Amino acid sequence: MRRILAALPVIAALLTGSSALAGDLTVNEPFARATAANARAGAAFLTISSPTADVLLSGRSPVAQTVELHTHLMDNGVVRMRAVASIPVEPGKPATLKPGGDHIMLMGLTGPLVEGTSFPLTLRFEKAGEITIQVPVAAAGAAAPTSGAHHGH
Ligand SMILES: [Cu+2]
């Protein structure tokens, strides 16, 4: 953990450089839901903003064997998840990945996602390239990021 923290300023500096070149695409308010100890999959949510059109193509994370882009759709009156090849980001219109909508699926978890911890997630965009963010783990079933003020309740 200490090693990861020490590397953060370097990563942040790299990110600032690449996202500036890519038109200031930003990834905001990421969070994941805590999972049960034996869960095979988890989900992450976040908001992507960009002044220019871009496309989220893929992701990867050390906490999962594979990272998929998912959406929800109605199938005979039942809401189902389905993998999608990409998620478009329209200029000036934030793409919100949230529970019940588009989301990032962490398949083959290497361990449970524990509330209060965080993990790195690298997202690859068509134009902005790769951006690595830290995703905090909120309570199981959380609908939004856990705010610092509510932590510990
Ligand atoms: Cu999913």
Side-chain angles (χ1 to χ4, degrees), residues 76-98:
N76 280 330
V78 180
V79 179
R80 294 186 194 280
M81 292 195 300
R82 197 187 67 178
V84 293
S86 62
I87 294 175
V89 183
E90 294 175 38
K93 184 168 175 263
T96 304
L97 281 60
K98 61 178 189 294

Side-chain angles (χ1 to χ4, degrees), residues 10-24 128 130-131:
V10 177
I11 294 167
L14 288 171
L15 288 182
T16 306
S18 67
S19 72
L21 281 173
D24 297 316
E130 291 197 340
I131 294 180

Side-chain angles (χ1 to χ4, degrees), residues 58-77:
S58 63
R60 65 173 192 272
S61 174
V63 302
Q65 284 164 11
T66 56
V67 172
E68 296 182 357
L69 308 177
H70 276 195
T71 192
H72 279 95
L73 47 79
M74 290 294 280
D75 178 16
N76 280 330

Side-chain angles (χ1 to χ4, degrees), residues 18-119:
S18 67
S19 72
L21 281 173
D24 297 316
L25 180 144
T26 56
V27 179
N28 303 298
E29 297 184 352
F31 73 102
R33 285 171 163 176
T35 65
N38 58 355
R40 298 285 301 143
F45 312 96
L46 42 83
T47 299
I48 305 160
S49 301
S50 175
T52 55
D54 211 328
V55 183
L56 174 57
L57 298 172
S58 63
R60 65 173 192 272
S61 174
V63 302
Q65 284 164 11
T66 56
V67 172
E68 296 182 357
L69 308 177
H70 276 195
T71 192
H72 279 95
L73 47 79
M74 290 294 280
D75 178 16
N76 280 330
V78 180
V79 179
R80 294 186 194 280
M81 292 195 300
R82 197 187 67 178
V84 293
S86 62
I87 294 175
V89 183
E90 294 175 38
K93 184 168 175 263
T96 304
L97 281 60
K98 61 178 189 294
D102 295 344
H103 56 279
I104 289 164
M105 204 76 194
L106 306 161
M107 308 293 284
L109 290 177
T110 55
L113 301 179
V114 179
E115 184 179 359
T117 64
S118 69
F119 59 87

